[in-house]
Amino acid sequence: MSETDRPSHSRDDESFLRHSFAVARRAIGNGNHPFGAVLVDRDGNVLLEVENGFMPSRDGTAHAERMLSTLACTTLPAAVRARATLYSSAEPCAMCAGAIYWAGIGRVVYGLSEQRLRELTGNHPDNPTLDLPCRNVFDSGQRKTEVVGPLLEDEAAIVHEGIWTR
């Protein structure tokens, strides 16, 4: 997809994406991997924010986006989810993209691409990164999910500095 084919973004998108970076930094402070997700309604109100939940149980499915999608399904009406934007510090993996799709969240904006994340994590056993862009997962579904990203990728990468070499 060329840059001209990609959906446009706004300053609000950048601001809320930076909020997801702050949530990712908070996750590190809580002993988790550096990932965060924020759900914002179409009026710019933050509805939910979730950090990675890998620890203490070492739950490999406790990705921020997946947990946010579950929380959204159990607390918000479908119409709100359909008009909301999920901001993620990193591109949703295939599992998380599936959860976002099934939750009916209408738009995703992410910072760090899956490819760049893989470069940063290498072959770290806690993050066996898939090489499957979220757009491919969303495009295989019956409902449209708008995707913007990678955006502010260099800022998103800073959150991961020194994490995957420990």
Side-chain angles (χ1 to χ4, degrees), residues 27-50:
I28 297 167
N30 289 327
N32 278 300
H33 295 150
F35 300 99
V38 178
L39 190 68
V40 177
D41 71 14
R42 70 180 188 178
D43 296 322
N45 300 304
V46 174
L47 302 173
L48 303 168
E49 60 181 60
V50 177

Side-chain angles (χ1 to χ4, degrees), residues 90-111:
E91 182 173 359
C93 71
M95 173 186 67
C96 292
I100 292 164
Y101 174 82
W102 285 108
I105 296 169
R107 185 168 182 261
V108 173
V109 177
Y110 68 86

Side-chain angles (χ1 to χ4, degrees), residues 77-132:
V80 171
R81 297 190 312 265
R83 294 185 304 267
T85 299
L86 187 150
Y87 293 91
S88 179
S89 60
E91 182 173 359
C93 71
M95 173 186 67
C96 292
I100 292 164
Y101 174 82
W102 285 108
I105 296 169
R107 185 168 182 261
V108 173
V109 177
Y110 68 86
L112 192 64
S113 68
E114 191 83 355
Q115 180 180 17
R116 180 101 177 256
L117 176 63
R118 191 175 192 165
E119 291 169 9
L120 293 171
T121 63
N123 195 24
H124 195 284
D126 287 352
N127 196 11
T129 305
L130 296 166
D131 187 15
L132 181 60

